């Protein structure tokens, strides 16, 4: 795994164990850490698409495994805890801001979790399970980990525990904010992971009365802000759209589309490097967003806002299907009024036929902006022309930059779109 984690354990983790008296460790109050709150026993259901205490977007929720899913059930085998887990599939984001978790200056944190691979259905383990720990307001990444079955030596019907650790520098700008935990999965639509036994401890700094700071502490830590994608966007890879009877839709789940735009499942005829149904990188999964002439798609990202101390960057995999003309388009950031904040125009000279290319647009909000603290709007649009443009793997970061400016000259363009219902027999 690629991770800021510095320790790994496969020992059973009991979420009800209290810290040893006198150890100085403080257990944080993660809500529903073993996913037992929503008791499925006797309901006739195997899963719910929610989990109390957690924000769930996409295919994820509470799961009570039946016999055959894991090596034992009622209770599940260690290091899992009790009878239920969180299931998560690619396209989902599950998060929680831990109550009463104000980040302590100089504190050290340890977060342990358990991942499982069920064996009772024709499912695979995701290519990666991504775990993020970040501050709740500035969204500074504190620790990140990406875990595959191979990295974990995880086999079907079993669970393995792993962990992340991070230190908080003195006077870090995010001190006092709450801690947010985020899970997501990457891989083919059929894959699934189980998550359980979540525990986080704080080791507070040793009290002292002799330390004097004669210089400003340098901001050095293993939890430096990075450009790693933070899973802020719903249906970021368009895998929530169930494309069965046709290879395209005129809608995309959790996106507002106008005219001929929606989810689409390409084949090797369009992208020859598709392997086992999976799109070539930097695209993800099996589906993309297509946008044809005079069409658009947008999403209001309610999980984050414009902040004068954060730089917002939108990164997108732009695709040129080789069997159709490429239609120039635009993607970018906008405010709730529909005014463009930053945009990137894509032409045929920027892309390669039959492939995807990562492209990015960034914006540093300024104190004079009248849309500060508003949710960020991301959009894709095209004008007149023939053909289409494809988008996938839509990633938004909103990271602390330490920069504030008071003057700006901004040209804005209205990009407000209206949802329309279109019935069409046109092939995509």
């Amino acid at each position: 795994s690629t991770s800021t984690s510095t320790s790994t354990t496969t020992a059973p983790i009991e979420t009800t164990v209290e810290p040893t008296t006198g150890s100085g460790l403080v257990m944080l109050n993660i809500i529903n850490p073993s996913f037992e709150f929503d008791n499925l026993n006797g309901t006739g259901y195997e899963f719910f698409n929610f989990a109390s205490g957690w924000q769930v977007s996409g295919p994820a929720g509470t799961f009570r495994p039946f016999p055959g899913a894991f090596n034992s059930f009622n209770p599940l085998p260690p290091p899992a805890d009790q009878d239920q887990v969180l299931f998560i599939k690619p396209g989902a984001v599950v998060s929680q801001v831990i109550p009463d978790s104000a980040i302590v200056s100089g504190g050290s944190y340890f977060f342990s979790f358990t991942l499982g691979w069920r064996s009772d259905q024709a499912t695979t383990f995701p290519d990666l399970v991504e775990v993020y720990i970040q501050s709740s307001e500035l969204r500074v990444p504190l620790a990140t980990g990406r875990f595959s079955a191979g990295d974990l030596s995880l086999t079907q019907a079993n669970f393995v525990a792993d962990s992340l650790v991070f230190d908080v520098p003195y006077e870090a700008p995010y001190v006092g904010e709450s801690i947010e935990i985020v899970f997501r999965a990457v891989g083919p639509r059929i894959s699934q992971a189980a998550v359980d036994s979540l525990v986080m401890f704080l080791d507070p700094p040793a009290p002292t009365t002799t330390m004097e700071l004669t210089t400003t502490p340098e901001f050095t830590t293993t939890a430096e802000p990075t450009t790693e994608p933070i899973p802020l966007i719903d249906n970021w890879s368009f895998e929530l759209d169930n494309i069965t009877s046709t290879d395209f839709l005129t809608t995309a789940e959790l996106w507002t589309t106008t005219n001929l735009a929606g989810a689409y499942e390409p084949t090797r005829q369009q992208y020859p490097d598709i392997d086992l149904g999976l799109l070539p990188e930097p695209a993800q999964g099996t589906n993309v967003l297509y946008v044809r002439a005079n069409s658009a798609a947008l999403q209001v990202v309610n999980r984050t806002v414009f902040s004068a101390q954060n730089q917002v960057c939108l990164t997108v995999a732009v695709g040129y299907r080789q069997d159709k003309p490429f239609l120039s388009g635009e993607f970018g950031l906008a405010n709730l009024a529909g005014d463009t904040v930053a945009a990137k125009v894509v032409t045929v000279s920027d892309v390669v036929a039959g492939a995807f290319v990562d492209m990015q647009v960034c914006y540093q909000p300024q104190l004079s902006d009248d849309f500060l603290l508003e949710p960020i709007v991301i959009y894709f649009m095209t004008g007149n022309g023939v053909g289409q443009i494809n988008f996938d793997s839509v990633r938004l970061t909103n990271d602390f930059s330490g920069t504030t400016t008071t003057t700006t000259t901004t040209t804005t363009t209205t990009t407000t779109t209206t949802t329309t219902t279109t019935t069409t027999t046109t092939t995509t």
Side-chain angles (χ1 to χ4, degrees), residues 15-19 25-34 37 52-54 96-102 109-111 178-181 198-202:
T15 60
T16 57
V17 173
E18 296 293 335
L25 295 179
V26 178
M27 181 184 288
L28 274 63
N29 184 31
I30 299 175
I31 302 299
N32 197 12
S34 189
F37 282 20
S52 292
W54 295 84
Q96 180 181 137
V97 176
I98 304 174
D100 304 318
S101 61
Y109 290 82
F110 172 85
F111 176 57
S178 296
I179 294 173
E180 183 174 17
I181 304 168
L198 309 181
V199 182
M200 185 176 292
F201 287 106
L202 161 66

Side-chain angles (χ1 to χ4, degrees), residues 175-230:
V175 165
E177 294 184 27
S178 296
I179 294 173
E180 183 174 17
I181 304 168
V182 183
F183 292 96
R184 75 173 184 178
V186 177
R189 188 185 317 171
I190 196 174
S191 62
Q192 180 180 149
V195 180
D196 199 34
S197 304
L198 309 181
V199 182
M200 185 176 292
F201 287 106
L202 161 66
D203 186 5
T208 178
T209 57
T210 59
M211 183 175 66
E212 295 183 3
L213 296 177
T214 57
T215 60
T216 302
E218 185 179 355
F219 189 166
T220 57
T221 174
T222 57
E224 294 179 359
T226 71
T227 57
E228 291 295 334
I230 304 302

Side-chain angles (χ1 to χ4, degrees), residues 87-395:
F87 79 89
I88 186 168
K89 296 182 178 183
V93 177
V94 180
S95 65
Q96 180 181 137
V97 176
I98 304 174
D100 304 318
S101 61
I103 297 173
V104 175
S105 179
S108 297
Y109 290 82
F110 172 85
F111 176 57
S112 64
F113 52 92
T114 295
L115 299 177
W117 181 357
R118 62 185 292 186
S119 65
D120 61 333
Q121 293 186 5
T123 58
T124 59
F125 193 79
D127 294 341
L128 292 172
V129 174
E130 299 182 333
V131 185
Y132 298 84
I133 304 175
Q134 61 190 27
S135 67
S136 61
E137 297 175 23
L138 293 176
R139 296 192 178 278
V140 175
L142 305 175
T144 62
R146 295 166 184 80
F147 304 90
S148 69
D151 295 331
L152 298 166
S153 298
L154 176 63
T155 56
Q156 281 189 292
N158 291 300
F159 289 88
V160 172
D162 212 305
S163 60
L164 297 172
V165 298
F166 62 96
D167 299 319
V168 178
Y170 289 96
E171 298 188 8
Y174 50 83
V175 165
E177 294 184 27
S178 296
I179 294 173
E180 183 174 17
I181 304 168
V182 183
F183 292 96
R184 75 173 184 178
V186 177
R189 188 185 317 171
I190 196 174
S191 62
Q192 180 180 149
V195 180
D196 199 34
S197 304
L198 309 181
V199 182
M200 185 176 292
F201 287 106
L202 161 66
D203 186 5
T208 178
T209 57
T210 59
M211 183 175 66
E212 295 183 3
L213 296 177
T214 57
T215 60
T216 302
E218 185 179 355
F219 189 166
T220 57
T221 174
T222 57
E224 294 179 359
T226 71
T227 57
E228 291 295 334
I230 304 302
L232 301 174
I233 298 171
D234 293 324
N235 197 14
W236 59 278
S237 188
F238 307 99
E239 304 304 318
L240 297 186
D241 298 277
N242 187 17
I243 302 173
T244 54
S245 61
T246 180
D247 62 353
F248 77 101
L249 304 172
T250 55
T251 58
E253 288 287 335
L254 305 176
W255 292 81
T256 300
T257 58
T258 301
N259 298 332
L260 288 175
Y264 165 52
E265 184 173 3
T267 67
R268 286 185 176 178
Q269 181 180 356
Q270 292 82 42
Y271 295 98
D273 289 336
I274 287 178
D275 185 22
L276 299 177
L278 296 180
L279 295 163
E281 293 183 349
Q284 294 280 341
T286 59
N287 297 346
V288 301
L289 174 75
Y290 74 90
V291 184
R292 298 187 63 177
N294 299 307
S295 301
L298 69 81
Q299 183 178 134
V300 179
V301 184
N302 288 310
R303 296 187 67 243
T304 190
V305 298
F306 286 108
S307 169
Q309 289 188 313
N310 285 26
Q311 184 183 53
V312 183
C313 288
L314 176 64
T315 307
V316 181
V318 182
Y320 175 3
R321 54 181 289 182
Q322 65 179 9
D323 62 334
K324 296 281 188 181
F326 183 81
L327 178 64
S328 295
E330 176 183 310
F331 68 92
L333 308 166
N335 59 27
L336 289 178
D339 298 322
T340 297
V341 173
K344 175 69 176 179
V345 175
V346 187
T347 66
V348 69
S349 63
D350 299 315
V351 292
V352 178
F356 290 85
V357 177
D358 258 351
M359 303 185 73
Q360 185 179 76
V361 62
C362 295
Y363 180 71
Q364 174 65 59
Q366 303 166 11
L367 292 175
S368 59
D369 289 336
D370 59 6
F371 49 82
L372 290 181
L373 302 183
E374 286 186 4
I376 298 168
V377 179
I378 56 177
Y379 72 89
F380 305 96
M381 62 182 299
T382 58
N384 295 325
V386 176
Q388 66 177 251
I389 183 172
N390 294 164
F391 298 101
D392 195 47
S393 191
V394 185
R395 291 146 283 164

Side-chain angles (χ1 to χ4, degrees), residues 30-45:
I30 299 175
I31 302 299
N32 197 12
S34 189
F35 305 97
E36 307 297 327
F37 282 20
D38 308 295
N39 190 356
L40 283 147
N41 189 31
T43 65
Y45 294 98

Side-chain angles (χ1 to χ4, degrees), residues 60-83:
T62 306
F63 171 45
R64 187 181 186 91
F66 288 166
F70 296 99
N71 282 330
S72 66
F73 77 105
N74 193 28
L76 293 167
D81 180 45
Q82 302 183 60
D83 304 322

